[in-house]
């Protein structure tokens, strides 16, 4: 009896709390449409290993985003301009990463402009249409974001801000219409101590949270070649696993395509 009375009181309270229209809506509400999970594979610094990486992606029908520092292209352990043209020719995205890979937050606005705009101008002069930028070290402040916009970039990638061991309370994914297009969030960079299951988990977290965008940040792809590296033996099985997720609605897109970033000319 007591239980029945409690249910009756609760139902009455609910009826008062909901306006008649809301009651009707609650009855006809459809389940929320599942958003697809989009993974962007981004590779920073124009590393010489990235030519082989582009081939690894192409074999699986994937395209990646390659962030370039134009001042160091052609240097030892870096891509050459011919490599870059070969990568772009296959439909991968070429984005900017500043002239010299400097920490933008330690520069004045006019220095930031030199680093971001001049790098972008050079990419355009080389025949590319860069629409997205990656901040070196993921270091970004409001000045850097304003300069990225002024230099004509339509979106920019940071590093960090998504869920991982360091930040269990962070969101599992970015959205494909990011809240801040000039600070697109990611998990931390993939490092030599990042295991295959860690990479998979980033994607699974997003899938379980209803989808969204997961940009992954890679640097060198080689054996025992620095903290910010991943071996092909680890990346290849991850790409195979990722390719097979397509049947579950998880797809790989360049960052530009994932967020719909448009090319705009560099202002004079
Ligand atoms: Zn970098």
């Amino acid at each position: 009896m007591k239980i029945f009375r409690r249910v009756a009181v609760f139902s009455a309270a609910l009826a008062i709390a909901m306006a008649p229209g809301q009651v009707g809506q609650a009855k006809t509400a459809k389940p929320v449409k599942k958003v697809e999970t989009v993974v962007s594979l981004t590779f920073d610094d124009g590393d010489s290993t990235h030519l082989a990486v582009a081939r690894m992606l192409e074999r699986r029908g994937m395209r990646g985003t390659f962030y370039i520092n134009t001042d160091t292209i052609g240097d030892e352990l870096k891509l050459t301009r011919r490599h870059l043209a070969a990568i772009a020719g296959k439909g991968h995205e070429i984005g900017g990463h500043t002239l010299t890979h400097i920490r933008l937050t330690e520069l004045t606005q006019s220095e930031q402009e030199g680093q971001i705009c001049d790098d972008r101008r050079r990419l355009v002069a080389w025949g590319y249409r860069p629409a997205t930028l990656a901040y070196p070290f993921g270091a970004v402040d409001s000045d850097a974001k304003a300069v990225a916009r002024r230099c004509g970039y339509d979106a920019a990638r940071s590093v960090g801000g998504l869920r991982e061991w360091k930040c269990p309370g962070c969101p599992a994914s970015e959205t494909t219409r990011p809240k801040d297009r000039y600070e697109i969030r990611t998990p931390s960079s993939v490092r030599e101590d990042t295991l295959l299951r860690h990479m998979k988990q980033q994607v699974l977290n997003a899938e379980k949270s209803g989808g969204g965008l997961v940009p992954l940040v890679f640097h060198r792809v080689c054996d025992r070649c620095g903290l910010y590296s991943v071996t092909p033996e680890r990346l290849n099985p991850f790409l195979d696993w990722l390719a097979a997720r397509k049947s579950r609605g998880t797809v790989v897109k360049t960052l530009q395509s994932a967020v719909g970033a448009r090319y705009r000319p560099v202002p004079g």
Side-chain angles (χ1 to χ4, degrees):
M1 210 45 199
K2 230 176 187 178
I3 290 168
F4 173 77
R5 214 183 304 141
R6 267 194 211 145
V7 170
V9 168
F10 177 73
S11 302
L14 198 68
I16 292 163
M18 291 175 89
Q22 285 177 309
V23 174
Q25 274 172 11
K27 271 183 189 161
T28 56
K30 288 181 190 137
V32 179
K33 189 174 171 280
K34 202 167 184 290
V35 184
E36 70 174 357
T37 301
V38 181
V39 178
S40 287
L41 303 167
T42 69
F43 297 87
D44 291 12
D45 306 349
D47 192 81
S48 59
T49 62
H50 293 174
L51 184 63
V53 167
R55 301 289 171 263
M56 286 163 66
L57 300 182
E58 289 154 24
R59 279 201 292 275
R60 295 164 174 97
M62 299 171 173
R63 294 297 180 269
T65 299
F66 294 85
Y67 287 113
I68 303 302
N69 308 101
T70 54
D71 261 14
T72 55
I73 282 294
D75 285 3
E76 201 184 346
L77 300 177
K78 298 288 179 185
L79 294 168
T80 65
R81 283 200 38 201
R82 268 181 61 185
H83 292 154
L84 200 55
I87 292 171
K90 295 289 183 182
H92 299 279
E93 178 187 3
I94 304 297
H97 198 36
T98 75
L99 285 175
T100 63
H101 204 282
I102 197 160
R103 203 175 283 276
L104 292 164
T105 49
E106 292 170 2
L107 302 184
T108 65
Q109 265 213 16
S110 75
E111 289 168 333
Q112 289 180 345
E113 256 183 56
Q115 281 286 336
I116 299 174
C117 289
D118 290 352
D119 180 59
R120 187 161 186 264
R121 276 191 196 98
R122 196 179 287 159
L123 286 172
V124 172
W126 290 354
Y128 305 116
R129 294 167 73 80
T132 74
L133 165 80
Y135 303 105
F137 312 101
V140 55
D141 56 18
S142 56
D143 282 353
K145 287 192 233 181
V147 172
R149 182 191 295 267
R150 272 213 298 281
C151 295
Y153 283 114
D154 194 28
R157 195 213 71 202
S158 177
V159 179
L162 292 189
R163 191 184 306 163
E164 57 186 313
W165 63 272
K166 270 197 242 183
C167 188
C170 284
S173 61
E174 182 55 274
T175 74
T176 51
R177 293 289 170 269
K179 190 176 63 181
D180 187 344
R181 291 179 72 74
Y182 290 91
E183 195 173 350
I184 294 175
R185 296 165 293 180
T186 75
S188 293
S189 294
V190 171
R191 308 190 331 178
E192 62 179 357
D193 53 359
T194 307
L195 303 177
L196 175 59
R197 66 181 163 84
H198 296 147
M199 293 190 274
K200 289 180 180 176
Q201 196 59 50
Q202 295 296 343
V203 179
L204 293 171
N205 285 347
E207 287 178 355
K208 281 186 283 189
S209 309
L213 170 63
V214 184
L216 295 177
V217 182
F218 297 91
H219 294 81
R220 312 198 73 202
V221 180
C222 34
D223 268 317
R224 285 185 286 275
C225 56
L227 180 60
Y228 288 93
S229 69
V230 61
T231 64
E233 289 69 30
R234 197 167 283 171
L235 186 57
N236 270 312
F238 174 66
L239 296 178
D240 285 337
W241 175 84
L242 190 56
R245 306 296 293 171
K246 200 173 178 181
S247 58
R248 297 165 186 255
T250 295
V251 295
V252 174
K253 292 183 183 177
T254 64
L255 193 65
Q256 171 174 16
S257 154
V259 301
R262 275 177 295 187
Y263 170 79
R264 286 183 277 138
V266 189

